[in-house]
Amino acid sequence: MKFFVDTAEINDIKELAATGLLDGVTTNPSLIAKSGRDFLEVTKEICGIVDGPVSAEVIALDHEGMMREAEILRKIADNVCIKVPLTIDGLKTCKALTSDGTKVNVTLCFSANQALLAAKAGASFISPFIGRHDDNGFDGMDLIRDIRLIYDNYAYETEILAASIRHGVHVLECARIGADVMTAPPAVIKGLVKHVLTDKGIEGFMADWAKTGQSL
Ligand code: G3P
């Protein structure tokens, strides 16, 4: 499973990129606002840190506006992936952009039927929002399961990019179901390494090593 980080914080991206675990980055208008940075500037900086796709979201809600903004965004770097909302205008934009080879991430997906439309529009990625689905009393994992089934039924190449991931169990379940990618905040990705028995084991080995009086 590919790991994307869902943030526009440069230090977090650099730290995770250095581990070799990072396959891409996703941003959205809320994350750009949180960073306090200029949208185009920070996107360019992120594109220089990771080789994989960097999702940058259009702001316009109409097709013409989305196309105009996509033109600006895709000039930033070769690894920019244009993010569009799951609306008729977003799907129309997705079709137009992917037809000439641009990568597109269709976001704010909350139903398997929406995901089917995105695949038919040629989306490179579909972003179902698991956490927000759970927040509203639905099972986000059922959504991932249904999309996996439908995409496999018709051999759609659109990658399932599980988003709105809130904790390690979301990551585990996505990996079990076979989501192609998951995007999570830096703290969730870093949290995956933690285990109390790992820490306890290191503590024990260090204590015993000290008793040997040796050094390396
Ligand atoms: O990638 C989408 C993500 O940023 C939404 O996450 O936690 O705001 O629902 P959240």
Side-chain angles (χ1 to χ4, degrees):
M1 184 165 63
K2 291 177 205 163
F3 275 29
F4 290 1
V5 66
D6 197 32
T7 187
E9 301 300 329
I10 295 295
N11 288 341
D12 286 326
I13 295 169
K14 279 187 178 160
E15 188 187 354
L16 283 166
T19 64
L21 294 172
L22 204 57
D23 301 296
V25 178
T26 50
T27 67
N28 61 39
S30 307
L31 294 170
I32 296 294
K34 197 170 161 204
S35 77
R37 298 276 312 271
D38 174 82
F39 181 26
L40 300 183
E41 255 177 45
V42 76
T43 304
K44 187 172 180 151
E45 200 173 338
I46 296 169
C47 288
I49 300 168
V50 294
D51 294 332
V54 175
S55 289
E57 190 161 342
V58 296
I59 313 303
L61 297 177
D62 63 297
H63 172 63
E64 286 72 25
M66 287 183 194
M67 290 301 290
R68 190 186 53 77
E69 291 175 0
E71 258 327 293
I72 299 170
L73 294 173
R74 64 179 172 181
K75 279 195 192 115
I76 295 176
D78 288 345
N79 55 338
V80 165
C81 173
I82 308 297
K83 206 172 180 187
V84 298
L86 215 157
T87 59
I88 289 290
D89 285 69
L91 293 173
K92 199 171 156 188
T93 304
C94 174
K95 188 77 187 169
L97 292 172
T98 52
S99 299
D100 74 3
T102 301
K103 275 195 183 312
V104 176
N105 176 357
V106 179
T107 190
L108 289 165
C109 170
F110 292 93
S111 81
N113 276 341
Q114 286 181 319
L116 178 56
L117 296 181
K120 285 180 70 63
S124 320
F125 300 102
I126 180 69
S127 290
F129 277 31
I130 297 175
R132 292 191 196 183
H133 213 58
D134 291 353
D135 292 344
N136 284 280
F138 300 95
D139 185 342
M141 287 308 154
D142 281 346
L143 178 58
I144 302 296
R145 226 172 264 115
D146 281 349
I147 300 172
R148 180 74 284 153
L149 177 72
I150 292 167
Y151 281 11
D152 289 349
N153 279 349
Y154 298 99
Y156 283 124
E157 286 176 10
T158 301
E159 293 188 61
I160 302 174
L161 197 176
S164 188
I165 296 256
R166 305 274 173 78
H167 47 68
V169 177
H170 278 159
V171 179
L172 178 64
E173 285 299 312
C174 281
R176 281 187 175 139
I177 295 166
D180 302 284
V181 191
M182 74 91 199
T183 189
V188 172
I189 297 179
K190 288 185 221 163
L192 298 176
V193 83
K194 297 297 284 178
H195 198 289
V196 66
L197 292 180
T198 305
D199 294 343
K200 208 173 158 201
I202 290 173
E203 212 179 291
F205 288 154
M206 291 305 100
D208 289 340
W209 176 252
K211 288 179 206 155
T212 70
Q214 298 177 49
S215 62
L216 262 185

